[in-house]
Amino acid sequence: MARYTGAHCRQCRREGMKLFLKGDRCYTDKCAFARRGYAPGQHGQSKKKLSNYGIQLREKQKAKRIYGVLEGQFRRYYEKAETMRGITGENLLKLLEMRLDNVVFKLGYGASRREARQLVNHGHFLVNGHRVDIASYKLSVGDVITVSEKSRASERFKVFAANPKALPKWLSGNVENFEAKVISEPAREDIDVPVNETLIVELYSR
């Protein structure tokens, strides 16, 4: 499985904003972006005026990095979003939000999407009673996500259960039973990522 193996803080610096790719570390003084809030590389501190294409490209790169998706997979999400009813940009974000690793992160299992993806890959979760270890698995309305019986006994999951997150409207959860359910598709106002999806559509429509 292809994945990004470089420095994650470098990605935040390149986009000029915190993407919270490393969870709790991003809220501390150890955050590289807080110490060096300019783009990486020899010319990172120079002022550059981006063209329209450059602005659109940066928006696409930002979305890819937030969700941890590589170029080929991101383009396939876009192509699928084009064939769906509704607004293409919003469809794209919905598809990304409905990934299993993102939903696991939203449920509070993992301080970042990267950690949530690792938990999924290690087989800690069941979907409708069946073990799923594919981070990109697309959930549907009505799907029930549970933590496996063996994983519930681990200290890591006990800590997650003791510190539940506020869930978005399209998810419901039962912390005591380590269970959650997708009750609807996310609306655009429920998706809190700092991405302008219109610019991504403009980029792919060139």
Side-chain angles (χ1 to χ4, degrees):
M1 180 183 67
R3 60 188 177 90
Y4 176 77
T5 57
H8 291 273
C9 291
R10 187 183 180 90
Q11 293 184 314
C12 296
R13 291 175 59 203
R14 185 63 188 88
E15 300 309 327
M17 64 183 299
K18 284 191 178 188
L19 302 179
F20 299 97
L21 302 178
K22 300 189 77 172
D24 295 338
R25 182 187 174 94
C26 299
Y27 296 95
T28 69
D29 295 335
K30 293 181 180 180
C31 174
F33 182 79
R35 292 182 282 115
R36 293 175 292 174
Y38 51 84
Q42 182 179 357
H43 305 290
Q45 298 187 61
S46 60
K47 299 290 184 180
K48 294 181 181 179
K49 184 176 181 180
L50 291 176
S51 63
N52 286 338
Y53 173 80
I55 294 171
Q56 294 163 357
L57 178 62
R58 292 266 56 86
E59 208 65 23
K60 183 198 72 170
Q61 294 294 88
K62 188 197 306 180
K64 283 170 49 184
R65 287 165 174 171
I66 288 173
Y67 287 103
V69 178
L70 297 183
E71 180 61 37
Q73 193 175 22
F74 192 85
R75 176 174 282 277
R76 288 193 290 274
Y77 277 125
Y78 176 79
E79 291 171 351
K80 185 172 182 179
E82 275 191 309
T83 65
M84 296 166 59
R85 290 184 179 181
I87 303 171
T88 299
E90 292 186 8
N91 290 339
L92 173 62
L93 293 183
K94 286 179 182 179
L95 289 172
L96 293 167
E97 283 286 300
M98 296 286 276
R99 285 169 54 100
L100 179 57
D101 57 353
N102 182 73
V103 170
V104 166
F105 167 68
K106 293 288 186 181
L107 294 173
Y109 299 116
S112 65
R113 288 180 178 84
R114 179 186 174 200
E115 184 180 355
R117 185 176 306 114
Q118 187 179 50
L119 293 173
V120 172
N121 290 339
H122 288 176
H124 291 292
F125 295 93
L126 309 177
V127 178
N128 299 327
H130 300 283
R131 181 172 174 267
V132 177
D133 57 6
I134 301 172
S136 61
Y137 181 88
K138 183 183 178 297
L139 294 168
S140 303
V141 176
D143 282 349
V144 176
I145 306 98
T146 54
V147 178
S148 68
E149 289 290 341
K150 183 178 179 181
S151 301
R152 296 180 191 190
S154 71
E155 287 300 318
R156 182 179 229 178
F157 280 91
K158 288 178 180 178
V159 170
F160 291 147
N163 300 277
K165 289 177 66 173
L167 300 181
K169 296 177 183 177
W170 53 283
L171 295 174
S172 66
N174 186 323
V175 177
E176 293 181 358
N177 294 332
F178 293 92
E179 182 178 289
K181 185 176 183 179
V182 180
I183 57 176
S184 68
E185 290 188 346
R188 180 60 185 96
E189 56 268 21
D190 299 325
I191 303 173
D192 58 359
V193 294
V195 170
N196 184 342
E197 65 276 10
T198 303
L199 294 176
I200 301 174
V201 175
E202 291 174 359
L203 176 67
Y204 280 119
S205 300
R206 294 174 72 89

